[in-house]
Amino acid sequence: MATSKVTSSQPPRPPRPNLAFRELRAQRSPAEFAAAVRRAAREIGERVSCDARYVGRVEAGEIRCPNYAYERVFLHMFPGRTLTDLGFAPRASVRGRGARPTEDAPPAHVTTPAYPAGGAPGETWGAHEPYDTQNPYETHDNYEESDVLRRAFMTGGGATVAVASMGTIGLAPTTAAAAERRVRRPGVPDADALEEAVRRIRLLDDRHGADGLYRRAATPLRAAYALLDAGATRQTTADRLHSGAGELAISVGWLAHDSGRFDDARSHYAEALATARMTGDAGLESHAFCNTAFLARDAGRPREAVRAAQAAQRVGRPLGSARLMSLLALREAGGWAGLADRTGCEQALVRAQALFERGPSDADPEWMSFYGEAELEGLEAQCWSTLGDWPRAARHAHRAAQLQDPHFTRNIALYTAELTDDLARGGRPDEAAAAGMRVLDLLGQVQSSRIQSMLAGTTRVLLPHRRAAGVGAFLERHASLPRTA
């Protein structure tokens, strides 16, 4: 692995906000604009991991010039404009400068990473490329990062299934214990890498589901907490590391949750909650309570789901995000539905809808990028299904599947599986079979025990109707699926 010394006589200078780029976002929230960037990337065959935080960094001037993948996407989105028109500095003026100013001293050298299997210089790493900031070495084909964290957090080459995508996210060939011994006092590049790890895991889950991801994701979580033990030199970096480790714990907990490992998920969510309370991070605490409420509902503890959702609302209200409060109201509604309290459920659903209609804002947490109208419809469908109102549940599940951004392959499969079950239980077996076939088509891309369990329950409902149109074919195809361990 080649290394090169980097020195700079350039004094640090504060970034200048990119007002031109902010104007292009207009009334869209950072999360909505990030979604538009990802859609534009797919239109031209690029894959970028744009999210609300990346948009915020661009607008704050932290990213003076985007890498080549983002450049192609932005110029596709805004034809006829140049990078300068978009508020970026010319690439030539960025290359050759010293490392970006940070509150922590940068590493003494820059590591040129080896490309993962199937990759090559000039290609986007894995499914997403690293960010380009004021550091000229954070470019499309050469960027600075802690070697331990690079191997802990960065996925391998773009894979067709999640397991392959996660193949190099661990600390191989070293163990987590070895990583703890090697880790230095962490700085800003480590916090950046940790936050990127969270994004990578979430994006892989969006596309492929949790099965096959959970075991591998546990290794970077151990490395994250090793960073906390090592201790950052500056409080701002320490706060970012605690927040990043807590968000990673929630992400790993969700992978456990979605793959049916409820006890593991509960432990990870509790770890995130403890981290949030140690640092007074209200955003992280509300997120941990939100997921705890969802887990409690799925685990058959509806009263705990209500209490956790209410706690999340108490903590999250000062954050100023109506969309966050809307989601938390839906978590509460799910708990009331589990308690067979139709009135409590309906009141929470009305509140969730009213809060959602206030629209997105800059206060919306980054992790909520999945929460749009489709998720609102899907969660409401689950409530009506729990209450046994199958026709109403089916209507909302159908809308959820129709509205979902194609990027969220797992959610499309989930909503369609819910629709299949609602139709089957509502006495419409032929329509259920047709919807079930669509789910089976998606299972080549999605690995989720939750979805597989839902389908298994639906097949039992459909067995007495095997002579109905399409039902026999659906049951036969479902029976031929390979069984997961």
Side-chain angles (χ1 to χ4, degrees):
M1 183 177 293
T3 61
S4 59
K5 301 290 182 183
V6 176
T7 60
S8 173
S9 59
Q10 296 287 339
R13 57 184 180 184
R16 295 178 181 176
N18 186 337
L19 301 180
F21 198 87
R22 174 63 185 88
E23 289 179 4
L24 293 171
R25 177 160 68 85
Q27 299 301 313
R28 288 174 288 187
S29 73
E32 289 176 323
F33 188 79
V37 172
R38 294 194 301 270
R39 283 195 297 272
R42 290 195 295 272
E43 291 172 2
I44 60 173
E46 288 288 353
R47 290 181 294 179
V48 297
S49 57
C50 189
D51 55 22
R53 185 173 183 272
Y54 179 86
V55 173
R57 293 178 68 191
V58 171
E59 293 177 0
E62 295 178 22
I63 298 175
R64 295 177 56 212
C65 185
N67 65 29
Y68 295 110
Y70 274 106
E71 177 182 355
R72 288 188 287 271
V73 174
F74 292 149
L75 296 183
H76 170 68
M77 292 178 69
F78 306 106
R81 304 189 191 224
T82 65
L83 284 181
T84 304
D85 295 332
L86 302 180
F88 293 109
R91 193 173 301 280
S93 71
V94 176
R95 287 190 179 276
R97 294 189 181 274
R100 61 182 177 186
T102 66
E103 70 267 26
D104 292 291
H109 65 274
V110 171
T111 300
T112 302
Y115 291 88
E123 292 182 342
T124 299
W125 269 41
H128 319 284
E129 72 295 319
Y131 295 140
D132 287 348
T133 66
Q134 294 181 37
N135 183 349
Y137 299 94
E138 257 186 307
T139 60
H140 181 60
D141 54 2
N142 182 10
Y143 71 102
E144 175 182 3
E145 187 181 291
S146 157
D147 180 55
V148 171
L149 286 184
R150 177 180 65 78
R151 290 199 279 170
F153 299 138
M154 294 304 169
T155 60
T160 57
V161 296
V163 173
S165 296
M166 290 287 287
T168 58
I169 202 171
L171 288 170
T174 61
T175 64
E180 293 181 24
R181 290 194 298 272
R182 294 173 54 194
V183 76
R184 55 179 168 74
R185 291 294 289 266
V188 169
D190 304 302
D192 289 342
L194 175 52
E195 290 162 358
E196 179 67 7
V198 176
R199 297 188 191 97
R200 296 276 181 115
I201 290 173
R202 287 173 181 163
L203 286 165
L204 286 170
D205 176 55
D206 290 340
R207 292 188 174 95
H208 305 294
D211 290 11
L213 301 185
Y214 173 60
R215 297 295 185 192
R216 289 172 174 82
T219 298
L221 180 58
R222 290 193 295 271
Y225 279 95
L227 287 177
L228 298 186
D229 289 340
T233 56
R234 297 297 179 105
Q235 187 61 45
T236 52
T237 303
D239 290 344
R240 284 183 63 193
L241 289 171
H242 276 87
S243 178
E247 290 292 344
L248 186 58
I250 292 174
S251 293
V252 176
W254 166 248
L255 296 178
H257 180 173
D258 195 44
S259 57
R261 301 174 174 93
F262 287 178
D263 288 343
D264 288 353
R266 189 179 180 87
S267 175
H268 288 304
Y269 293 160
E271 190 170 33
L273 185 59
T275 301
R277 287 182 165 175
M278 281 190 294
T279 58
D281 188 334
L284 178 60
E285 185 173 354
S286 65
H287 191 187
F289 270 131
C290 175
N291 278 44
T292 299
F294 199 16
L295 174 65
R297 188 207 71 169
D298 286 354
R301 300 190 298 269
R303 196 168 302 279
E304 180 185 329
V306 170
R307 295 183 66 181
Q310 291 173 341
Q313 290 170 75
R314 285 195 300 273
V315 175
R317 192 169 289 110
L319 299 176
S321 169
R323 284 287 168 91
L324 171 61
M325 298 305 292
S326 173
L327 176 60
L328 298 177
L330 283 167
R331 295 288 187 244
E332 182 181 342
W336 289 124
L339 290 168
D341 187 335
R342 189 182 184 98
T343 300
C345 179
E346 288 180 335
Q347 289 174 347
L349 287 175
V350 168
R351 193 164 70 252
Q353 184 69 49
L355 288 162
F356 184 87
E357 289 175 355
R358 294 185 188 177
S361 73
D362 290 347
D364 297 340
E366 178 183 336
W367 59 267
M368 285 190 62
S369 59
F370 74 95
Y371 184 55
E373 191 175 359
E375 182 72 4
L376 175 69
E377 293 284 344
L379 291 175
E380 183 165 353
Q382 292 174 10
C383 289
W384 294 121
S385 179
T386 302
L387 290 169
D389 191 338
W390 312 118
R392 201 166 184 176
R395 287 197 299 272
H396 286 283
H398 179 68
R399 278 184 52 78
Q402 284 188 320
L403 291 168
Q404 183 59 70
D405 186 325
H407 166 77
F408 293 95
T409 311
R410 176 200 166 276
N411 280 1
I412 293 174
L414 174 64
Y415 302 148
T416 310
E418 291 173 350
L419 173 62
T420 302
D421 195 65
D422 294 332
L423 291 170
R425 296 178 189 276
R428 297 153 68 181
D430 52 342
E431 296 176 59
M437 285 293 197
R438 295 196 293 273
V439 180
L440 294 178
D441 290 339
L442 292 170
L443 288 185
Q445 306 171 52
V446 175
Q447 300 177 33
S448 168
S449 292
R450 171 193 296 270
I451 296 171
Q452 292 173 354
S453 296
M454 291 175 64
L455 278 184
T458 304
T459 58
R460 291 190 289 271
V461 176
L462 289 175
L463 278 174
H465 306 280
R466 61 169 59 251
R467 296 185 184 279
V471 173
F474 166 70
L475 293 175
E476 289 178 9
R477 185 176 171 192
H478 179 267
S480 69
L481 290 176
R483 294 295 178 250
T484 57

